[in-house]
Amino acid sequence: MSLKSFDIGHGIGKGQFGRVYIARKKISGYIVALKVLSIGELIKVNAERQLRREVEIQMNLRHPNILRLLGYFQDDIYFVLILEYAAKGELYKQLVKSGRLKEKKASRYIAQTARALSYIYQKHVIHRGIKPENLLIDLNNEIKIADFG
Ligand code: ATP
Ligand code: MG
């Protein structure tokens, strides 16, 4: 797979080493998020091991409330993570917009996050960055824990 395998859409997020885009797999039409990281930047700040850990951990987790890492590839310039797309974006943005959540919605999000954390602890993984920016929401209002970097 390469960047040519996808129609790449608009940017949906910005990270330390690159950007996240919505994209569509050309053959299947499947919608994903591509996290495109500059290899040069990764090397400059010695983050290769951290990225490898992110990939190894997230590839092995399967839970409805954990953002799936579907695959990855690289070329000379970029390392690209193929991620499940969370259409409604960050919980952080919802909180900023609505100030506070209704109790029912908040309790659903907390229960989903707790189930996902319980699952990763069983696998002896800790996240170290649980915060509203890293809790994404999909089209069905399901929490997806993201960013295992
Ligand atoms: P790092 O911590 O490795 O530097 P980062 O924290 O900047 O990276 P992410 O948190 O993975 O990168 O992504 C940055 C932002 O892009 C997220 O906060 C979110 O807004 C958006 N984003 C990332 N992945 C997805 C996705 N799969 N679906 C929708 N939005 C996403
Ligand atoms: Mg993040």
Side-chain angles (χ1 to χ4, degrees):
M1 236 182 277
S2 72
L3 283 172
K4 289 200 190 84
S5 320
F6 297 88
D7 293 316
I8 299 184
H10 61 278
I12 51 177
K14 232 173 120 175
Q16 211 182 325
F17 306 108
R19 284 162 189 274
V20 181
Y21 300 91
I22 186 169
R24 185 175 51 210
K25 186 95 195 303
K26 274 181 186 162
I27 297 166
S28 62
Y30 196 75
I31 300 288
V32 294
L34 294 182
K35 188 169 170 179
V36 180
L37 306 160
S38 152
I39 294 172
E41 286 296 313
L42 287 163
I43 291 173
K44 216 190 283 175
V45 298
N46 253 314
E48 301 118 289
R49 274 188 54 205
Q50 182 187 325
L51 175 64
R52 178 160 311 169
R53 202 169 50 217
E54 176 172 1
V55 169
E56 280 170 1
I57 291 172
Q58 214 171 341
M59 283 290 287
N60 284 303
L61 299 176
R62 299 284 150 87
H63 189 277
N65 301 114
I66 291 171
L67 194 77
R68 271 288 298 280
L69 174 57
L70 301 163
Y72 54 91
F73 55 86
Q74 68 185 99
D75 60 22
D76 294 338
I77 303 167
Y78 298 113
F79 189 93
V80 181
L81 302 179
I82 309 169
L83 294 162
E84 174 185 3
Y85 175 55
K88 294 193 180 171
E90 296 175 18
L91 175 60
Y92 180 79
K93 285 184 188 140
Q94 275 198 14
L95 283 171
V96 169
K97 213 170 83 187
S98 50
R100 69 167 71 178
L101 301 175
K102 296 247 168 65
E103 215 169 276
K104 192 170 171 196
K105 195 165 207 180
S107 64
R108 276 189 68 243
Y109 286 165
I110 289 168
Q112 290 173 4
T113 305
R115 284 196 291 270
L117 290 177
S118 167
Y119 167 80
I120 68 170
Y121 296 158
Q122 271 172 43
K123 297 217 157 214
H124 305 286
V125 168
I126 54 170
H127 184 285
R128 302 206 300 181
I130 297 296
K131 54 183 175 180
E133 293 91 326
N134 290 332
L135 300 178
L136 305 184
I137 298 165
D138 78 358
L139 211 50
N140 304 315
N141 291 317
E142 300 284 314
I143 286 281
K144 303 280 173 175
I145 298 183
D147 196 0
F148 283 78

